[in-house]
Amino acid sequence: MFACAPTQAVDPYDHTPRHHPAHPAHSPPPRRRFRLAGADVSASIAVFLIALPLSLGIALATGAPLQAGLVAAAVGGLVAGRLGGSPLQVSGPAAGLTVVTADLIQRYGWRTTCGITVLAGLAQLALGCLRVARTALAVSPAVVHGMLAGIGVTIAVAQLHIVLGGSPQSSVMDNVRALPAQLAGLHPAAVAVSALTLALLLLWPRIPGRLGRLLRKVPAALVAVTGATAVASLAGLTLPKVDLPSWSSHALAGLPEGPVLGIVAAVLTTTLVCSVQSLLGAVAVDKMIASRQASAPVAGSGPAPRPAAPAPRVGRSDLDRELLGQGAANIVSGALGGLPVAGVAVRSSANVHAGAVSRNSTMLHGVLVVIAALLLVPVLELIPLASLAALVMAVGIQMVSLHHIRTVTRHREVLVYAVTTLGVVLLGVLEGVLLGVAVAVAVALHRLARTRITHTERDGVHRIHVRGQLTFLAVPRLSRTLHLVPQGAHAVVELDGSFMDHAAYESLQDWHKTHTAQGGTADLSGRRAPAAPAECRCRPWTPWRNHQCDSLMPATKDLKDLQEPKGPKAAAGASGLGDDSVVPPEHADGTGTTNATGLAASLADADAGTTAPGAESHPTPPSAHQLARGISAFQRNTAPHVRGELARLAREGQRPAQLFLTCADSRLVTSMITSSGPGDLFVVRNVGNLVPLPGVESGDDSVAAAIEYAVDVLEVRSITVCGHSGCGAMQALLNTGQDAPQTPLRRWLRHGRPSLERMADDSRAWAKLAGRTPADAVEQLSLTNVVQQLEHLRAHESVVRALAAGTLELHGMYFHVGEAQAYLLTESAEGRLFDHVGSADRTA
């Protein structure tokens, strides 16, 4: 028996329990037992192995005591991990703070720098209490990326001196000027150890094969430092090594000493860099978690696999709480003599990709750092400083991201990026960021005020295209361009922007009145009606509406009607009807635009030479003009996005995976209902989605040729026959008698008579829709026709061969137009079953 059975749309990853065990009302709540997931343990070990060498390297780069890096790593894991709002973000000493901290140590000394870190933590607590965390996200990404790139350049240039066996200078320019002398006095042992460290960093992640996948579980940073240390020790190289004094002599924070303005600027700089880096890192971690959950592995090979071992959901970051947690961590780290703390992208990424499921992984990594700082001092003191310098230099180079450069270039913000980077390198972090923000604001104002106005004339029609925001600054140019239109001529003004202020509105309205009074005509068109964007809500997959909702404006309308549409009359004006006409319910869609029926009615009235009551005579553009406008919109809006993919298809040829045979009905948009794009489907459309049997009288070779070409040449893997509700061909089949005069349409519909006979045969089970009977005989015949045409497909030789070889599958599909609902033909216990495809059926 055939049936279309609906299934409940369920989120396959929703594991929220529906029933909660209850406990007695007056009994104490049950104690929550601490549980440590195995995934958190393995993730914490992976993060610890990355954090240990990086913490020492960053402390070395800043000129701080090396223990300070370990203190910051431990505090970041324990305090920020427990109190922060991003459960999987790992905090600790960050490379982005290296330049700031190094500058503070040189100016004020180490104990004052620790005091500044404490004050920066207090400032972060205040900002978190004010709940202004999301304000940091308003900073242009080009400024943030430029700041990180500038810091990366500064780090790399400074550490290059240690890599070569020397000592860095106080500024970037001093380091650059001292580089020739440093190259002349190379230290071979330091260069060799540094080169080995960099080689291991570069090659370890690229080991191929199964062995490579196994070895890559060990972090490259740990392998690089361990390998370089082992070689240096075995070879007996004389090199400066890590020196960790006794913890009893570790310096703690002192009261800040120095000029007040300088201390305030230092606190603001530290607060800014720590906060922005941590908040942006929290957002990035949210994206990584969402990507990990969306790509969760599935188990089973059945038609509807489910997640194999669903991990607990990790909530989105609370940015204000994250700012409070970072502030608390900086207070504790500074007080204990540690470096400033911030969210670290490398460790956070490792934590997420290692499968961490809670904040326990971050905290456990902090515990491991404490254990290493107390018990592994003799091992850590074997590490050459040149190896740590090479590690940090590689991190600095990676901060200058080519991906970020391409992104800002694509968004035309490369100037902001370059100015920020140069400002950080030459002037300092705070000065560079402020300079970058100033340039970003100037660029935004320039774009807001910039308006391109062009005038062209073709076939007596003057076109004025306004691209950008139309403000008072553009009024002089707009006025000059509008007066280029001769008296009595026809003009089309295209407004391609989202804003028009009062001065521009009055200028355009005054010209419109004057031009029409002198016998001219003018159309106002554009993507959105001027100053009335809320009244024109064009949606995807409604192309004619997109082009017509704001373009069929009466030439003699007052411009005020464009700015102040009201109710049904606004929709009437938008469709070319008069002010006094009333739009019937079936002609309005409630959004200020007309639906397809209303548009067709207005076009029909125009073609018939009629004018709605109260409307001025205004000829509707012919269908050819509609098509031209649609093509123009494609070239302007869509072609730039698909040109690269189409160029690839032109070079490589088409390789569609599926032959999709469906009806020619205009309401069926195959690419929309299958979410497919260029090169995905080989589509055959005809009246009634019919497949003529091969060799029958009055057969149609075009369908057979398409099937043969798709199967034998294109080697498609599946063929789908798709019927739909309200099919005019099925209606014609039911209403056409045997003695009706033969026309091309009736001769074609003879191929659908087997479907009609199948439905009339009582010995065969009818296809049904689960939960209800088909709405009428037309729907019943549409369902039956899909099954019958699949049988016709199996009679074609190319299909028979492919099915026998197991290289082809046949599918049936039914699309209900009114419900926008698709059904797929599958097998069930009751026989063949049209199964309802829900929004959660990802593997259907």
Side-chain angles (χ1 to χ4, degrees):
M1 184 175 186
F2 305 111
C4 291
T7 60
Q8 184 179 4
V10 179
D11 185 351
Y13 300 112
D14 184 8
H15 302 283
T16 305
R18 301 301 180 214
H19 303 284
H20 302 275
H23 61 275
H26 299 288
S27 64
R31 288 187 176 182
R32 295 182 58 187
R33 297 179 60 188
F34 175 76
R35 293 183 178 180
L36 188 61
D40 283 334
V41 175
S42 60
S44 66
I45 295 174
V47 174
F48 161 72
L49 295 177
I50 295 175
L52 189 63
L54 280 177
S55 299
L56 293 172
I58 291 171
L60 173 67
T62 60
L66 296 184
Q67 295 103 317
L70 300 177
V71 170
V75 171
L78 292 170
V79 178
R82 180 64 186 90
L83 303 178
S86 181
L88 301 190
Q89 176 163 249
V90 181
S91 300
L97 293 163
T98 303
V99 175
V100 176
T101 309
D103 183 60
L104 294 180
I105 293 174
Q106 279 195 337
R107 290 187 182 186
Y108 305 110
W110 171 239
R111 298 191 65 191
T112 298
T113 299
C114 292
I116 291 173
T117 302
V118 173
L119 293 177
L122 292 172
Q124 286 181 299
L125 286 181
L127 293 175
C129 292
L130 294 175
R131 305 186 69 82
V132 297
R134 290 201 170 271
T135 306
L137 302 182
V139 179
S140 169
V143 174
V144 177
H145 297 327
M147 176 190 73
L148 295 177
I151 292 173
V153 170
T154 305
I155 292 173
V157 173
Q159 297 308 299
L160 181 59
H161 284 271
I162 302 180
V163 166
L164 297 176
S167 300
Q169 305 298 316
S170 59
S171 67
V172 177
M173 298 309 299
D174 290 340
N175 282 321
V176 171
R177 282 192 289 266
L179 196 56
Q182 187 66 61
L183 290 172
L186 288 178
H187 193 294
V191 173
V193 169
S194 301
L196 177 60
T197 304
L198 293 174
L200 288 173
L201 274 175
L202 180 65
L203 299 178
W204 188 260
R206 291 171 171 79
I207 298 177
R210 182 177 302 176
L211 178 63
R213 288 195 297 271
L214 182 63
L215 294 178
R216 283 196 294 270
K217 295 182 180 296
V218 182
L222 180 67
V223 173
V225 173
T226 303
T229 302
V231 170
S233 300
L234 294 175
L237 300 179
T238 304
L239 289 169
K241 297 180 180 179
V242 169
D243 182 18
L244 293 174
S246 171
W247 285 103
S248 60
S249 61
H250 179 63
L252 303 180
L255 293 176
E257 299 178 358
V260 176
L261 291 180
I263 297 295
V264 170
V267 171
L268 290 178
T269 303
T270 307
T271 304
L272 170 69
V273 178
C274 288
S275 302
V276 171
Q277 182 166 343
S278 299
L279 295 176
L280 293 178
V283 174
V285 167
D286 283 346
K287 293 179 181 179
M288 286 187 284
I289 294 172
S291 176
R292 184 182 73 177
Q293 291 174 342
S295 60
V298 295
S301 57
R306 291 293 181 262
R313 281 188 174 274
V314 181
R316 292 183 63 83
S317 299
D318 182 340
L319 297 185
D320 292 305
R321 178 179 171 180
E322 179 66 17
L323 200 54
L324 292 172
Q326 294 292 334
N330 273 312
I331 292 174
V332 176
S333 180
L336 295 179
L339 292 170
V341 171
V344 186
V346 176
R347 292 170 229 179
S348 301
S349 176
N351 195 33
V352 174
H353 291 123
V357 296
S358 71
R359 63 178 70 245
N360 292 335
S361 64
T362 304
M363 297 172 63
L364 183 57
H365 125 270
V367 173
L368 294 176
V369 171
V370 172
I371 295 174
L374 296 177
L375 302 180
L376 298 181
V377 172
V379 176
L380 297 178
E381 288 184 337
L382 296 175
I383 301 175
L385 294 182
S387 178
L388 292 179
L391 176 64
V392 177
M393 185 179 73
V395 172
I397 294 173
Q398 290 173 355
M399 292 173 71
V400 186
S401 170
L402 293 178
H403 172 70
H404 291 160
I405 294 175
R406 285 193 293 265
T407 300
V408 297
T409 302
R410 186 167 61 250
H411 292 281
R412 296 182 300 167
E413 293 184 332
V414 68
L415 178 62
V416 178
Y417 180 91
V419 168
T420 306
T421 301
L422 291 176
V424 170
V425 170
L426 300 177
L427 303 176
V429 175
L430 182 61
E431 294 84 351
V433 169
L434 292 177
L435 191 60
V437 169
V439 174
V441 171
V443 169
L445 291 175
H446 172 71
R447 290 177 179 173
L448 181 64
R450 185 187 180 202
T451 307
R452 294 182 58 190
I453 304 175
T454 59
H455 168 257
T456 58
E457 187 273 332
R458 184 177 180 182
D459 298 332
V461 178
H462 293 259
R463 294 187 176 274
I464 298 172
H465 188 194
V466 181
R467 185 184 296 272
Q469 318 311 318
L470 199 51
T471 65
F472 66 94
L473 297 173
V475 166
R477 286 186 292 130
L478 175 65
S479 179
R480 285 195 300 269
T481 307
L482 290 173
H483 283 83
L484 295 176
V485 181
Q487 296 182 7
H490 178 61
V492 176
V493 180
E494 298 182 9
L495 304 177
D496 188 3
S498 60
F499 176 75
M500 179 171 63
D501 68 4
H502 187 68
Y505 160 73
E506 282 195 345
S507 175
L508 192 55
Q509 185 188 44
D510 291 343
W511 171 83
H512 187 268
K513 287 182 177 179
T514 303
H515 186 69
T516 53
Q518 294 174 348
T521 57
D523 286 341
L524 299 171
S525 65
R527 294 182 181 177
R528 310 175 78 168
E535 297 300 327
C536 178
R537 303 180 186 273
C538 300
R539 301 190 181 98
W541 306 110
T542 53
W544 295 125
R545 185 189 314 183
N546 276 345
H547 302 317
Q548 300 303 321
C549 63
D550 56 7
S551 62
L552 297 182
M553 300 294 179
T556 55
K557 280 282 184 192
D558 193 326
L559 187 63
K560 190 178 293 184
D561 294 336
L562 297 178
Q563 262 195 326
E564 301 174 359
K566 294 182 178 66
K569 292 184 181 181
S575 62
L577 301 177
D579 286 340
D580 298 328
S581 61
V582 178
V583 180
E586 64 271 16
H587 286 184
D589 63 1
T591 62
T593 65
T594 58
N595 63 14
T597 307
L599 181 59
S602 65
L603 293 177
D605 287 343
D607 290 341
T610 61
T611 305
E616 299 289 345
S617 175
H618 178 63
T620 301
S623 57
H625 183 52
Q626 295 174 352
L627 182 62
R629 290 180 62 83
I631 296 172
S632 176
F634 165 80
Q635 295 295 152
R636 180 176 64 250
N637 305 323
T638 308
H641 299 288
V642 301
R643 186 170 286 119
E645 177 65 12
L646 291 178
R648 183 188 68 81
L649 290 171
R651 292 191 307 269
E652 301 175 2
Q654 61 168 328
R655 278 296 174 191
Q658 185 173 152
L659 166 61
F660 197 86
L661 196 151
T662 188
C663 186
D665 193 295
S666 63
R667 296 167 296 180
L668 288 182
V669 184
T670 56
S671 57
M672 177 178 68
I673 64 178
T674 60
S675 298
S676 56
D680 292 338
L681 300 180
F682 186 69
V683 181
V684 175
R685 307 187 68 153
N686 60 50
V687 176
N689 48 277
L690 301 178
V691 181
L693 286 168
V696 300
E697 184 181 357
S698 300
D700 185 278
D701 287 339
S702 66
V703 178
I707 295 172
E708 180 182 349
Y709 184 77
V711 175
D712 293 342
V713 179
L714 297 179
E715 298 179 347
V716 297
R717 296 188 295 272
S718 67
I719 301 178
T720 300
V721 177
C722 178
H724 67 96
S725 62
C727 182
M730 300 300 103
Q731 180 72 53
L733 266 176
L734 290 170
N735 296 338
T736 301
Q738 294 287 344
D739 54 351
Q742 292 299 305
T743 64
L745 177 60
R746 290 194 179 99
R747 284 195 297 271
W748 168 253
L749 290 179
R750 291 173 60 186
H751 304 298
R753 286 179 186 169
S755 301
L756 196 61
E757 295 168 358
R758 185 188 191 101
M759 189 176 73
D761 188 351
D762 294 335
S763 64
R764 294 189 175 187
W766 279 9
K768 292 183 179 180
L769 292 172
R772 67 173 177 89
T773 58
D776 49 29
V778 174
E779 187 168 52
Q780 180 65 70
L781 183 56
S782 297
L783 296 170
T784 306
N785 184 56
V786 173
V787 179
Q788 183 64 38
Q789 301 310 314
L790 286 173
E791 291 193 4
H792 289 186
L793 266 175
R794 291 185 176 92
H796 287 259
E797 291 183 6
S798 55
V799 175
V800 172
R801 289 194 302 269
L803 289 174
T807 59
L808 182 67
E809 297 177 353
L810 302 184
H811 300 289
M813 178 176 168
Y814 176 75
F815 185 76
H816 195 290
V817 176
E819 298 174 357
Q821 179 61 59
Y823 299 81
L824 286 177
L825 184 63
T826 59
E827 297 289 340
S828 72
E830 301 177 357
R832 290 178 178 174
L833 176 73
F834 272 105
D835 194 13
H836 178 286
V837 180
S839 59
D841 296 332
R842 306 191 326 173
T843 58

